[in-house]
Amino acid sequence: MSSFYDLTFDELRDMLAGRGQPGYRAQQLYEWAYKRLAGDYRDMTVLPAALRASLANELPLDVLTPVREIETDDGDTVKVLYRTADGQTIETVLMYYADRATVCVSCQVGCAVGCSFCATGMGGLQRNLTTGEMVAQVIDMARRARRRGRPLTNIVMMGMGEPFHNYAAVMKMVAILHDARGMQVGARRITLSTSGVVPFIDRLASEPFQVNLAISIHAADDALRSELVPLNRRWPLDELLGAVRRYIRQTGRRVSFEYALIADVNDRDDDAWNLARRLRGLLCHVNLIPLNPTPAAPYQRPSADRIARFERILVEAGIPTTVRYSRGVEIAAACGQLRAQHAPVTAQPPLMGENHG
Ligand code: SAH
Ligand code: SF4
């Protein structure tokens, strides 16, 4: 069954027109759902009671049920575990910063890519999330932020799942959240992170919405990258970086690279030099994410010295670089960990944090 949050403005308008509703109804509904963040049709008192009742049946607003939530960093990181209508559990993280509030959204239950350091990937893919389930994560977090007197400003697709394996539903989510009659989130406040599904990098370059693109690179040579990110066997680094170059040429937009730093795996000086060589001349920024260890894999986080040295090599080579520690590690805000604690699945999934954004 679809929910209210599955419908673009035009789809909603057509559906209402088919029922003989006046043209301004869609506008009213979008305003109540996305600007006022109403969670119940009964609150939408401008609508006729009969319409409210039928919408509550046909296009529910309560697609996700929060089943657990935890806070850390003095409340600046909030992680919520939601249950879907079919009993799956997914995680979403809200992170408050001085100047913005960012939601880290999941796009799949599990993930088929199977990166060796990432707990989400270890259980394989259960299913794609629907557009409505992704929009609902954002709306629920926007309500929480509003209760704290803060607007939700940024959206990062860095929760569970590979956005480019659920491309159409993700882009529809972008269209709905971007709509000026609703939430009106600027495309530049939305970031999609991919492990490197090359055909969709080209596809994204020609979309009308110029969202931010983040590439999870993690290694600068093919043998190591194929070990960490199995998808690299299909689309090795030359192809991946070729697509990134085309993307930058076409959009003029800066691309971020994420690099999870893993002790004695990809944190040597040589790795940093190789990465710098690969990225030289690209309009880009590197985010170094010190690994968030998960019980399912033997990897460790490098020492602070090692992390600083890796960063320095990149910076001295002229690559803009930031070290981003993930938020909420102590509350298992590492994405998928809360889900694993709640209803033990296969393994401990990855982290979320503003490194993811
Ligand atoms: N599937 C997408 C987006 C979700 S993961 C992708 O891979 O890009 C968001 C980021 O967190 C990715 O860069 C991912 O590689 C990284 N990540 C996953 N598990 C991690 C861990 N245990 N420690 C540090 N970063 C991790
Ligand atoms: Fe999937 Fe991203 Fe985890 Fe890799 S890092 S398994 S692509 S969620």
Side-chain angles (χ1 to χ4, degrees):
M1 180 166 77
S2 55
S3 74
F4 179 85
Y5 302 119
D6 282 298
L7 301 189
T8 63
F9 184 86
D10 289 357
E11 288 171 343
L12 181 66
R13 190 196 48 212
D14 293 350
M15 180 209 140
L16 292 166
R19 297 164 173 227
Q21 289 291 329
Y24 54 82
R25 282 282 183 251
Q27 192 109 29
Q28 286 176 324
L29 272 154
Y30 247 53
E31 151 127 25
W32 276 83
Y34 291 118
K35 290 196 195 292
R36 300 186 190 225
L37 305 177
D40 191 326
Y41 287 108
R42 279 175 297 195
D43 297 337
M44 304 186 189
T45 45
V46 290
L47 304 180
L51 178 63
R52 282 186 269 152
S54 65
L55 288 174
N57 273 328
E58 291 160 51
L59 291 179
L61 291 163
D62 54 350
V63 260
L64 296 178
T65 313
V67 290
R68 212 179 139 197
E69 41 188 283
I70 31 182
E71 289 189 2
T72 189
D73 304 324
D74 288 329
D76 282 348
T77 304
V78 180
K79 178 162 182 159
V80 181
L81 182 75
Y82 296 100
R83 196 176 43 240
T84 62
D86 63 343
Q88 302 280 2
T89 48
I90 57 167
E91 302 178 2
T92 313
V93 179
L94 174 60
M95 293 159 286
Y96 295 100
Y97 298 86
D99 57 338
R100 65 197 188 283
T102 301
V103 60
C104 180
V105 173
S106 291
C107 64
Q108 296 183 310
V109 185
C111 180
V113 180
C115 299
S116 58
F117 55 90
C118 167
T120 293
M122 284 167 193
L125 175 69
Q126 315 301 311
R127 71 166 171 87
N128 280 337
L129 293 182
T130 62
T131 293
E133 287 166 333
M134 291 184 266
V135 171
Q137 294 172 58
V138 174
I139 297 301
D140 188 65
M141 288 302 196
R143 282 187 201 121
R144 288 165 199 269
R146 184 169 290 180
R147 288 201 289 271
R148 266 184 50 166
R150 296 279 304 266
L152 183 70
T153 55
N154 294 69
I155 298 170
V156 297
M157 299 306 292
M158 298 188 180
M160 301 164 61
E162 166 52 56
F164 287 180
H165 282 169
N166 191 12
Y167 187 83
V170 167
M171 292 316 289
K172 190 174 181 192
M173 174 207 77
V174 170
I176 290 170
L177 295 172
H178 183 266
D179 198 303
R181 293 156 292 197
M183 211 172 191
Q184 202 174 4
V185 183
R188 294 174 184 213
R189 296 185 175 276
I190 301 175
T191 300
L192 306 189
S193 174
T194 181
S195 54
V197 189
V198 162
F200 287 100
I201 296 174
D202 288 312
R203 183 117 167 241
L204 186 69
S206 51
E207 292 285 350
F209 306 115
Q210 292 293 303
V211 297
N212 300 306
L213 174 63
I215 305 285
S216 296
I217 188 161
H218 305 316
D221 76 80
D222 278 316
L224 178 56
R225 189 163 193 273
S226 294
E227 237 174 76
L228 297 175
V229 185
L231 204 115
N232 191 70
R233 291 188 200 113
R234 180 125 171 238
W235 292 292
L237 281 160
D238 280 345
E239 280 189 46
L240 175 61
L241 294 172
V244 170
R245 247 175 240 111
R246 290 193 294 277
Y247 176 91
I248 294 171
R249 203 162 47 231
Q250 194 166 334
T251 64
R253 299 191 48 69
R254 180 185 301 270
V255 167
S256 325
F257 288 95
E258 290 163 281
Y259 193 102
L261 271 173
I262 310 174
D264 304 320
V265 172
N266 65 358
D267 67 339
R268 297 161 308 163
D269 291 358
D270 272 357
D271 298 314
W273 284 318
N274 275 340
L275 184 64
R277 190 175 43 77
R278 288 259 187 198
L279 301 186
R280 190 160 299 140
L282 275 184
L283 180 61
C284 73
H285 184 100
V286 172
N287 291 320
L288 298 175
I289 315 169
L291 182 84
N292 203 20
T294 67
Y299 302 125
Q300 296 305 319
R301 173 179 284 196
S303 69
D305 280 358
R306 193 88 287 282
I307 295 168
R309 182 165 167 84
F310 199 96
E311 179 188 21
R312 199 163 57 242
I313 292 174
L314 291 177
V315 169
E316 282 171 4
I319 312 287
T321 303
T322 313
V323 178
R324 295 195 188 275
Y325 284 88
S326 58
R327 282 271 193 108
V329 171
E330 67 273 30
I331 55 165
C335 175
Q337 294 186 352
L338 184 59
R339 171 174 175 249
Q341 284 174 2
H342 188 79
V345 273
T346 26
Q348 298 276 312
L351 86 172
M352 296 202 268
E354 170 92 348
N355 49 328
H356 322 124

